[in-house]
């Protein structure tokens, strides 16, 4: 199947989703693209870029307004034009996800764990904390104890401070004792993380985007707009799974874990199309002083180095 047909099929699938979540897609575009190019863009540029995704001007304006209310975005008015950027809080939230989205190969695991124990005083914010930490890869032993394989100190500290819970939890660094069997560790992983559901989601993602990789191998020069659409959909759908993922090391996962294959596919496709997508971003999107600036140096560190 040609790249044009594959992209059209992916866009059709996205447009058919109900409800069509424009706010989530806008966050993807800001995180993947705008934040790397000065973190400010004219609303008209977003409307034009997202029209092929099935989002009209009214839907985008409504979604942007909601994101402002939720402290994801902030606006700046110049004349009749509105420009939007991540708030400091919104940028911090996305950067926590970005550390996982654009990670390189999974690191080796040294058998260490981070355990978080909620005090009784944290009861009111416990459910929201579990939700926030699940996005960082934490699993739940029970309603009071969460755990993560390896250290997550930076992202964990940010999250606790943002939620005002730093004084209401206890964080313990631990390590797996030598007598613990691999089978026992894998059973613990299945009890604390929804691995079967994650595997199904990853397999569906692989079925959806493997044709992209095949079509790219025979593609001629890439259309910048097509590359932007593919890159946006790729990151968006991958991000939706990662928000539920475990970040578990290979030792604790089933053989041939679909998440590892998904990471390989995402990084391969991203490297192939990112330059063409950058052309679209730089040539068509506008900030308060004209075209968007070049990407910040950190952009090239994605997936272990572009």
């Amino acid at each position: 199947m040609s790249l044009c047909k594959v992209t059209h099929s992916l866009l059709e699938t996205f447009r058919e989703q109900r409800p069509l979540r424009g706010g989530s897609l806008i966050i993807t575009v800001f995180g993947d693209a705008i934040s790397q190019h000065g973190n400010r863009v004219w609303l008209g540029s977003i409307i034009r870029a997202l029209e092929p995704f099935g989002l009209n001007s009214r839907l985008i304006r409504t979604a942007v307004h909601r994101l402002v209310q939720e402290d994801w975005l902030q606006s700046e008015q110049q004349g009749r034009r509105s420009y939007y950027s991540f708030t400091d809080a919104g940028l911090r939230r996305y950067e926590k996800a970005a550390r996982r989205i654009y990670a390189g190969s999974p690191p080796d695991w040294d058998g260490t764990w981070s355990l978080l124990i909620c005090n009784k005083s944290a009861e009111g914010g416990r459910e929201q904390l579990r939700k926030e930490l699940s996005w960082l890869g934490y699993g739940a032993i029970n309603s009071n104890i969460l755990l993560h394989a390896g250290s997550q100190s930076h992202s964990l500290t940010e999250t606790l401070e943002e939620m005002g819970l730093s004084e209401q939890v206890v964080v313990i660094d631990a390590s797996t004792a030598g007598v613990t069997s691999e089978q026992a560790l894998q059973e613990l992983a299945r009890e604390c993380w929804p691995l079967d559901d994650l595997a199904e989601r990853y397999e569906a993602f692989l079925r959806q985007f493997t044709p992209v990789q095949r079509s790219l191998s025979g593609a001629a020069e890439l259309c910048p707009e097509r590359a932007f659409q593919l890159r946006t959909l790729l990151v968006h759908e991958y991000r939706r799974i990662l928000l539920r993922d475990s970040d578990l090391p290979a030792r604790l996962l089933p053989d041939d874990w679909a998440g590892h294959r998904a990471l390989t596919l995402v990084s391969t496709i991203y490297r192939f199309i990112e330059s063409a997508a950058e052309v679209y971003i730089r040539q068509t999107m506008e900030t308060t002083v004209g075209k968007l600036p070049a990407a910040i140096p950190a952009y090239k560190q994605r997936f272990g180095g572009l």
Side-chain angles (χ1 to χ4, degrees), residues 158-203:
E158 287 181 336
T159 300
L160 293 177
E161 289 178 350
E162 288 168 5
M163 298 186 68
L165 294 176
S166 298
E167 305 299 323
Q168 300 175 35
V169 301
V170 175
V171 180
I172 300 174
D173 291 329
S175 61
T176 302
V179 296
T180 306
S181 71
E182 293 289 309
Q183 180 179 348
L185 286 172
Q186 291 181 0
E187 288 180 0
L188 174 67
R190 285 196 173 278
E191 291 172 1
C192 297
W193 285 274
L195 296 185
D196 291 338
D197 177 65
L198 285 167
E200 291 179 5
R201 290 175 182 272
Y202 275 126
E203 292 291 358

Side-chain angles (χ1 to χ4, degrees), residues 133-282:
L133 293 188
S134 72
W135 294 345
L136 299 181
Y138 277 78
I141 294 179
N142 56 41
S143 61
N144 293 317
I145 303 176
L146 306 175
L147 78 165
H148 187 281
S151 175
Q152 267 276 356
S153 57
H154 183 58
S155 295
L156 175 60
T157 299
E158 287 181 336
T159 300
L160 293 177
E161 289 178 350
E162 288 168 5
M163 298 186 68
L165 294 176
S166 298
E167 305 299 323
Q168 300 175 35
V169 301
V170 175
V171 180
I172 300 174
D173 291 329
S175 61
T176 302
V179 296
T180 306
S181 71
E182 293 289 309
Q183 180 179 348
L185 286 172
Q186 291 181 0
E187 288 180 0
L188 174 67
R190 285 196 173 278
E191 291 172 1
C192 297
W193 285 274
L195 296 185
D196 291 338
D197 177 65
L198 285 167
E200 291 179 5
R201 290 175 182 272
Y202 275 126
E203 292 291 358
F205 176 86
L206 288 163
R207 289 192 297 272
Q208 188 178 20
F209 283 93
T210 295
V212 175
Q213 184 180 21
R214 296 196 189 109
S215 65
L216 285 170
S217 62
E221 184 176 352
L222 293 178
C223 165
E225 182 176 15
R226 193 77 66 200
F228 166 79
Q229 292 164 356
L230 279 174
R231 195 175 105 174
T232 300
L233 287 171
L234 179 76
V235 173
H236 184 68
E237 297 301 332
Y238 187 53
R239 179 173 74 94
R240 292 174 65 190
I241 303 174
L242 281 180
L243 290 179
R244 302 170 180 267
D245 199 0
S246 62
D247 267 2
L248 289 173
R251 284 174 54 191
L252 306 185
L253 293 168
D255 293 337
D256 192 29
W257 176 240
H260 295 159
R261 288 183 277 127
L263 171 59
T264 299
L265 181 67
V266 170
S267 61
T268 299
I269 295 175
Y270 199 96
R271 286 188 175 96
F272 203 106
I273 65 177
E274 62 91 13
S275 293
E278 287 291 288
V279 171
Y280 175 82
I281 292 164
R282 294 287 311 281

Side-chain angles (χ1 to χ4, degrees), residues 13-33:
T13 300
F14 183 87
R15 286 193 290 260
E16 290 170 359
Q17 294 179 16
R18 292 295 180 273
L20 192 58
R21 301 188 183 280
S24 181
L25 185 66
I26 291 169
I27 291 297
T28 297
V29 172
F30 268 87
D32 185 60

Side-chain angles (χ1 to χ4, degrees), residues 39-156:
N39 191 33
R40 181 174 285 105
V41 70
W42 174 42
L43 179 60
S45 296
I46 297 296
I47 292 172
R48 181 168 62 245
L50 296 187
E51 184 178 9
F53 294 81
L55 300 176
N56 58 35
S57 174
R58 180 183 60 81
L59 285 174
I60 292 173
R61 291 177 187 277
T62 299
V64 166
H65 177 69
R66 186 176 297 117
L67 291 170
V68 170
Q69 291 180 318
E70 295 171 353
D71 199 29
W72 274 101
L73 300 179
Q74 59 191 355
S75 64
E76 175 185 346
Q77 197 76 22
Q78 288 200 9
R80 300 181 63 182
R81 286 189 167 193
S82 297
Y83 298 84
Y84 287 86
S85 59
F86 268 139
T87 62
D88 290 343
L91 186 58
R92 285 196 304 271
R93 278 186 245 171
Y94 190 85
E95 284 179 342
K96 283 189 288 186
R99 293 176 197 136
R100 303 176 69 199
I101 296 170
Y102 306 107
S105 300
D108 293 333
W109 184 50
D110 59 3
T112 60
W113 298 85
S114 175
L115 273 71
L116 183 143
I117 304 173
C118 298
N119 296 335
K120 289 184 177 180
S121 58
E123 186 171 354
R126 186 184 299 157
E127 285 305 311
Q128 184 60 29
L129 179 62
R130 288 182 63 180
K131 180 179 179 181
E132 293 284 339
L133 293 188
S134 72
W135 294 345
L136 299 181
Y138 277 78
I141 294 179
N142 56 41
S143 61
N144 293 317
I145 303 176
L146 306 175
L147 78 165
H148 187 281
S151 175
Q152 267 276 356
S153 57
H154 183 58
S155 295
L156 175 60

